[in-house]
Amino acid sequence: MHSWEFLMINFVMIDLDDTLIPNAYTYWIPKLDALKIMAVELMWKAPSPAIIMQRALEFQLADIKSKGCISKTCFAESYMQVYKDICAEIGTTPRDAVSSAIFVSCSKYFLEKYSLFGNVKETLTAIKQPKICVTRGDYDIQMYKITNTKLDHYFDSIEIVDLKTEDTYANLIKKYDLKPEETVMIGDSLMNDIKPAMAAGLSGIHVTSYSEQIGEWENSHVEDNLTLLKLEPRYTQIKTFAEVLKYLD
């Protein structure tokens, strides 16, 4: 008998990005556009695309840490700053027109028309427990995703937070007067959805299919803890969101 059969789940928290909607891919085209602009401008002096993307990622992580949230312009600013830094390193003056082009190209993800993974609405409808969407990021962008996919009617509440930490989940437990042992967090990210939620006393259902496909960097940061998580009776993995119904009877 699976240990989950001993758990009583009376409240459900559900992540948005890459759990209900494919989100990571929306950054691919902006990244390629920014890399192309830098390649045309700097030619052979430009570092490899892998190095540029890694440096942009490091900027994003540092920006999130310093601001305590994910700003709307963080992604675009990261590639613009990397361009300026490379120019300084190779002794070239960065051109404002190029900086602006990079910023505009990297801002295109704002306008994405989002879609849903298969059977998301059917699964949300079938979940009997009260449920809230817990998503992190800029309020306007996240609400655009939710309303664009018409998901707002499927939740009892929506929580858009700056970051997902143990305190975030503890505060939600307090706000909604919940019992941690009867509450589950469902999401694709070990670092943001599962680990901090379980630290706050919740159970965790880890949706792995899409994060495995894209090699999601956030999950790699806690991969060493995955073996221990798998031994935890409050943790389980599923491939697709629709499988949650097996654990929410």
Side-chain angles (χ1 to χ4, degrees):
M1 180 179 290
H2 195 284
S3 58
W4 268 78
E5 295 187 21
F6 295 100
L7 298 178
M8 179 180 294
I9 302 299
N10 289 322
F11 199 89
V12 180
M13 298 183 185
I14 305 173
D15 172 56
L16 178 68
D17 294 335
D18 298 321
T19 298
L20 303 181
I21 65 172
N23 178 69
Y25 83 94
T26 63
Y27 295 90
W28 295 352
I29 298 301
K31 283 181 184 179
L32 291 173
D33 286 346
L35 291 170
K36 180 178 179 180
I37 291 169
M38 281 189 250
V40 171
E41 177 70 9
L42 302 174
M43 295 186 291
W44 58 271
K45 294 182 180 180
S48 70
I51 290 175
I52 292 174
M53 289 188 290
Q54 179 60 34
R55 291 178 65 168
L57 176 58
E58 290 169 358
F59 175 97
Q60 294 161 25
L61 294 174
D63 188 68
I64 293 170
K65 185 176 181 179
S66 66
K67 294 178 180 176
C69 65
I70 304 174
S71 69
K72 185 182 298 185
T73 58
C74 177
F75 176 68
E77 287 173 348
S78 69
Y79 279 87
M80 186 172 64
Q81 187 58 52
V82 169
Y83 163 67
K84 292 179 178 179
D85 290 344
I86 293 172
C87 286
E89 292 162 8
I90 64 177
T92 299
T93 301
R95 294 198 298 135
D96 290 342
V98 175
S99 295
S100 296
I102 291 172
F103 189 88
V104 170
S105 294
C106 287
S107 298
K108 289 179 181 178
Y109 79 96
F110 292 166
L111 306 176
E112 181 68 30
K113 294 198 71 173
Y114 292 88
S115 59
L116 297 170
F117 287 121
N119 299 315
V120 163
K121 290 184 177 179
E122 294 84 351
T123 304
L124 289 172
T125 300
I127 294 175
K128 303 172 185 177
Q129 295 88 340
K131 50 192 174 292
I132 62 175
C133 179
V134 183
T135 179
R136 67 170 187 154
D138 177 83
Y139 180 85
D140 293 335
I141 293 176
Q142 297 307 99
M143 280 305 301
Y144 171 76
K145 295 175 185 177
I146 292 169
T147 56
N148 185 257
T149 52
K150 297 180 172 59
L151 282 176
D152 43 329
H153 304 299
Y154 291 83
F155 289 96
D156 296 278
S157 186
I158 295 169
E159 293 284 344
I160 299 175
V161 299
D162 290 334
L163 294 173
K164 290 179 177 177
T165 65
E166 180 180 347
D167 286 343
T168 302
Y169 292 103
N171 289 336
L172 290 174
I173 287 290
K174 184 176 180 180
K175 177 178 178 178
Y176 292 95
D177 192 24
L178 306 175
K179 295 180 180 180
E181 67 274 13
E182 297 180 2
T183 306
V184 65
M185 176 64 194
I186 304 167
D188 72 296
S189 173
L190 284 172
M191 186 174 78
N192 294 297
D193 301 320
I194 305 303
K195 191 178 178 185
M198 292 184 67
L202 283 67
S203 299
I205 298 180
H206 183 200
V207 186
T208 64
S209 59
Y210 192 59
S211 58
E212 287 177 352
Q213 175 187 338
I214 63 175
E216 204 232 328
W217 64 270
E218 291 177 336
N219 286 342
S220 67
H221 283 258
V222 288
E223 195 65 33
D224 292 340
N225 297 321
L226 188 53
T227 301
L228 294 176
L229 279 174
K230 288 180 177 179
L231 298 176
E232 167 61 61
R234 294 178 295 119
Y235 171 85
T236 194
Q237 285 185 348
I238 57 177
K239 281 288 186 181
T240 65
F241 178 68
E243 295 175 49
V244 300
L245 297 179
K246 296 188 296 184
Y247 300 94
L248 300 177
D249 292 337

